[in-house]
Amino acid sequence: MGEASVKTLETRTDVSSPLVTEQETRPGSRGTLLARLRMPRRPRIWFEVLLIAISYWTYSLIRNAVPEQKTAALANADWIWRTEHMLGIAVEHSVNHAVNSVTWLIVGMNYYYATLHFVVTIGVLVWIYRFHPGRYAATRFVLFATTGVALLGYFFYPLAPPRLMNGQHFVDTVLVHHTWGSMASGNLKHMSNQYAAMPSMHIGWSLWCGLTLFAVASAPWARILGLLYPAATLVVIVSTANHFWLDAAGGMLCLAFGYTVSGLWYGSLPHRLPRRPRATDPHPVTAALVSRFRR
């Protein structure tokens, strides 16, 4: 038992981690390509930058191409609001007005909403890439799967954010305080789908960042910040009237899906994979792209 795994988190490889068997690596074996695709390896920086840029562009294109079904989105918002009242959690209106009364706080939250969503996510990706390359692919896979399934929510369940509801008097804090903080407010509203509030990817991505830091970081302060970041994001999305509590629950479900898919593919959760990859040869997809460009 002691030889099956190393006890430290940094290098632990549980028996559930994907291992390449002798049969899989034998020349001509049917399992060779699948085993090579699943094996953690050192990521190539140019490929990762290109992949992330194309993926985010595709995500934005699809999200904003989803028809803005205003009538259905407003009806769904009314249903969400009634449901939260029945559950006793419909306090978004009170939170929105209370925080809006403190100008410096709500202005800070507007900028938080507009920037940290991207800055922290990219920062965590870069950190994992640099210091935990063996876990990078699986961690990135979680993020991509989470974002991908969120697109289904935008398509099948259009939802207006609280600030766009009729007759509920939520404050659109970006408009009131003249800050830039939402692609769905002011002059930018025609560039973004305003009725894609379910699920909240601010929560999906921030929780991904937080769990990644908590599971992998060794410094206690970093792990604490990892837990505080999604909690702070939850307060921000509600205070700025951009999301309901249940939108956040939707983001959490998407993240759970992402971890499940990544775990099934790699045979383990990202933090349980080796910190340093065992494979140093190019990824089959990278090799195929390079071969095509050289022709």
Side-chain angles (χ1 to χ4, degrees):
M1 290 295 290
E3 298 177 357
S5 63
V6 182
K7 293 184 180 179
T8 62
L9 179 62
E10 300 297 326
T11 56
R12 183 175 60 188
T13 53
D14 295 340
V15 231
S16 59
S17 300
L19 300 175
V20 183
T21 65
E22 181 182 355
Q23 180 180 0
E24 287 176 324
T25 56
R26 190 176 301 151
S29 170
R30 294 174 58 187
T32 301
L33 178 59
L34 179 60
R36 290 179 62 203
L37 287 170
R38 296 176 63 187
M39 182 181 296
R41 66 191 67 244
R42 182 170 296 279
R44 295 326 196 242
I45 183 65
W46 69 267
F47 179 77
E48 293 303 323
V49 171
L50 183 64
L51 178 64
I52 291 171
I54 292 176
S55 299
Y56 183 74
W57 176 80
T58 304
Y59 162 76
S60 300
L61 185 68
I62 295 175
R63 180 182 185 272
N64 296 333
V66 172
E68 291 194 4
Q69 306 173 52
K70 180 177 180 179
T71 302
L74 290 172
N76 288 336
D78 289 336
W79 184 87
I80 290 283
W81 193 228
R82 289 195 304 270
T83 301
E84 289 195 351
H85 273 91
M86 288 189 294
L87 295 174
I89 60 174
V91 296
E92 291 93 332
H93 187 274
S94 300
V95 173
N96 172 234
H97 280 262
V99 178
N100 183 67
S101 65
V102 185
T103 303
W104 65 267
L105 181 58
I106 194 61
V107 168
M109 286 187 173
N110 284 342
Y111 290 128
Y112 179 116
Y113 186 87
T115 59
L116 293 193
H117 182 47
F118 305 103
V119 173
V120 177
T121 303
I122 293 173
V124 172
L125 272 174
V126 171
W127 177 69
I128 288 289
Y129 175 90
R130 175 66 179 83
F131 297 104
H132 300 266
R135 297 162 181 159
Y136 175 82
T139 305
R140 187 239 293 140
F141 195 112
V142 174
L143 183 64
F144 279 25
T146 299
T147 306
V149 76
L151 293 172
L152 297 177
Y154 302 148
F155 185 85
F156 290 107
Y157 197 78
L159 180 67
R163 59 187 174 74
L164 292 182
M165 292 180 70
N166 294 323
Q168 298 301 330
H169 307 293
F170 281 93
V171 178
D172 189 330
T173 59
V174 171
L175 292 180
V176 168
H177 296 279
H178 307 289
T179 61
W180 56 274
S182 173
M183 286 291 288
S185 292
N187 296 327
L188 297 176
K189 65 183 179 182
H190 300 297
M191 298 172 58
S192 177
N193 183 359
Q194 298 187 69
Y195 303 109
M198 172 67 83
S200 168
M201 279 299 92
H202 274 75
I203 291 300
W205 289 9
S206 66
L207 191 56
W208 171 86
C209 292
L211 291 178
T212 299
L213 288 172
F214 183 77
V216 175
S218 56
W221 63 265
R223 302 182 73 193
I224 292 172
L225 284 180
L227 296 180
L228 290 178
Y229 175 53
T233 301
L234 179 60
V235 175
V236 167
I237 66 171
V238 171
S239 299
T240 56
N242 280 295
H243 288 284
F244 297 98
W245 298 121
L246 291 182
D247 299 345
M252 294 176 190
L253 288 176
C254 288
L255 183 63
F257 172 83
Y259 273 109
T260 300
V261 173
S262 178
L264 290 174
W265 178 254
Y266 287 98
S268 176
L269 291 175
H271 72 277
R272 292 181 178 272
L273 294 170
R275 180 175 182 176
R276 302 292 176 185
R278 281 169 284 178
T280 58
D281 57 308
H283 192 280
V285 176
T286 307
L289 288 174
V290 171
S291 176
R292 178 174 293 273
F293 284 133
R294 285 177 177 174
R295 290 178 182 175

